[in-house]
Amino acid sequence: MSIKDNLLRLRESVEPNATLVAVSKTKPISDLQEAYDAGQRHFGENKIQEMTDKWETLPKDIHWHMIGHTQRNKVKYMAPYVHLIHGVDSARLLKEINKQAYKNNRVIDCLLQIHIAEEESKFGFDQQELLELLASKDFNDYKNIRITGLMGMATFTDDQEQVRKEFKSLKTLLDHINENNLIHESHKLKTLSMGMTGDYKVALEEGSTMVRIGSAIFGSRA
């Protein structure tokens, strides 16, 4: 099937309840252009340099999502244009994003990454760290970032019930923050970024509003 066919098929199951982010990392410009021509506007990359090269080449109405682990020293390269940073996993990274957003006269939307998987390799805040961050003075002084939701990656396993439990925990955490007004009103926790090619259907059932799908659109990576 073509990229266009894959996108049309996925949109039927994802939209209108969630945003489909096409994970285009390592894929050539021609593949992204094909997806763009099929109406796709949200693209996800995991390397800032590669994303910047693509941003410079492709149409300017694309929304670029930084979905990988973000190095603080690279934030300045994407600060002029990035639409949403998914993997904010430390207070130090948040501080750097705020600084670079200020230099570019922007407010940059971010998701806080929560560690929901059993694997140690995944990045993110645990629940206690998150609540401490939200209550901190530094966090509430930042004027050039807007936290729009949470992101999490489930354990890489065939056990669908474990995956479901992890996604459910993230939705519960988001609801807990909103219902108890634990975040300043300048931030709006509406986005729940969870679900990839292998588990997006479970994620949608558990309340995901944004899924990150690559191989089901572009084919497997070399």
Side-chain angles (χ1 to χ4, degrees):
M1 291 175 86
S2 68
I3 289 171
K4 179 179 181 180
D5 290 337
N6 291 338
L7 275 169
L8 292 175
R9 182 176 52 81
L10 279 162
R11 283 201 194 116
E12 285 180 7
S13 61
V14 172
E15 298 171 348
N17 298 320
T19 300
L20 173 62
V21 178
V23 178
S24 48
K25 60 186 184 183
T26 75
K27 294 299 177 181
I29 295 281
S30 57
D31 281 7
L32 278 75
Q33 185 67 53
E34 190 178 333
Y36 178 89
D37 292 342
Q40 183 65 25
R41 292 296 180 270
H42 292 267
F43 290 87
E45 294 281 333
N46 71 337
K47 291 194 165 59
I48 292 172
Q49 187 58 56
E50 182 181 347
M51 182 168 70
T52 301
D53 291 344
K54 289 172 176 174
W55 167 69
E56 288 171 348
T57 305
L58 285 155
K60 290 297 177 273
D61 61 335
I62 288 175
H63 295 311
W64 293 100
H65 295 247
M66 178 59 192
I67 61 169
H69 179 61
T70 301
Q71 294 172 279
R72 294 197 310 281
N73 63 344
K74 302 258 178 81
V75 171
K76 58 180 179 264
Y77 299 113
M78 67 174 170
Y81 70 88
V82 70
H83 174 70
L84 181 63
I85 302 173
H86 286 236
V88 178
D89 57 9
S90 72
R92 291 168 72 195
L93 176 56
L94 211 51
K95 181 179 180 181
E96 182 63 23
I97 295 168
N98 185 70
K99 176 178 148 187
Q100 297 300 334
Y102 174 77
K103 285 183 180 177
N104 285 275
N105 196 27
R106 292 188 69 206
V107 175
I108 294 179
D109 287 349
C110 301
L111 304 178
L112 297 174
Q113 182 171 355
I114 311 304
H115 189 285
I116 57 172
E118 292 189 357
E119 298 154 337
E120 283 303 309
S121 59
K122 299 278 194 294
F123 296 98
F125 295 96
D126 65 30
Q127 187 164 333
Q128 187 58 39
E129 290 168 338
L130 173 70
L131 297 177
E132 287 172 5
L133 172 73
L134 299 186
S136 69
K137 183 181 184 304
D138 282 351
F139 175 78
N140 287 296
D141 284 344
Y142 294 148
K143 298 290 182 274
N144 292 82
I145 52 166
R146 179 169 48 233
I147 305 302
T148 61
L150 305 178
M151 184 273 256
M153 296 169 71
T155 303
F156 189 66
T157 174
D158 291 329
D159 183 348
Q160 293 291 292
E161 285 316 302
Q162 181 179 344
V163 170
R164 186 179 297 280
K165 183 182 75 177
E166 291 167 0
F167 286 151
K168 198 184 287 285
S169 73
L170 191 60
K171 175 71 163 73
T172 300
L173 179 59
L174 181 117
D175 290 344
H176 172 71
I177 293 167
N178 284 332
E179 288 162 9
N180 293 280
N181 299 315
L182 299 179
I183 192 165
H184 190 271
E185 61 191 13
S186 59
H187 307 283
K188 291 281 182 284
L189 290 199
K190 291 181 176 175
T191 302
L192 199 53
S193 173
M194 58 186 195
M196 300 187 290
T197 295
D199 56 21
Y200 78 90
K201 289 179 180 174
V202 176
L204 290 170
E205 287 168 5
E206 294 304 327
S208 174
T209 67
M210 187 172 282
V211 295
R212 312 175 300 273
I213 297 181
S215 55
I217 296 172
F218 297 106
S220 56
R221 291 185 187 85

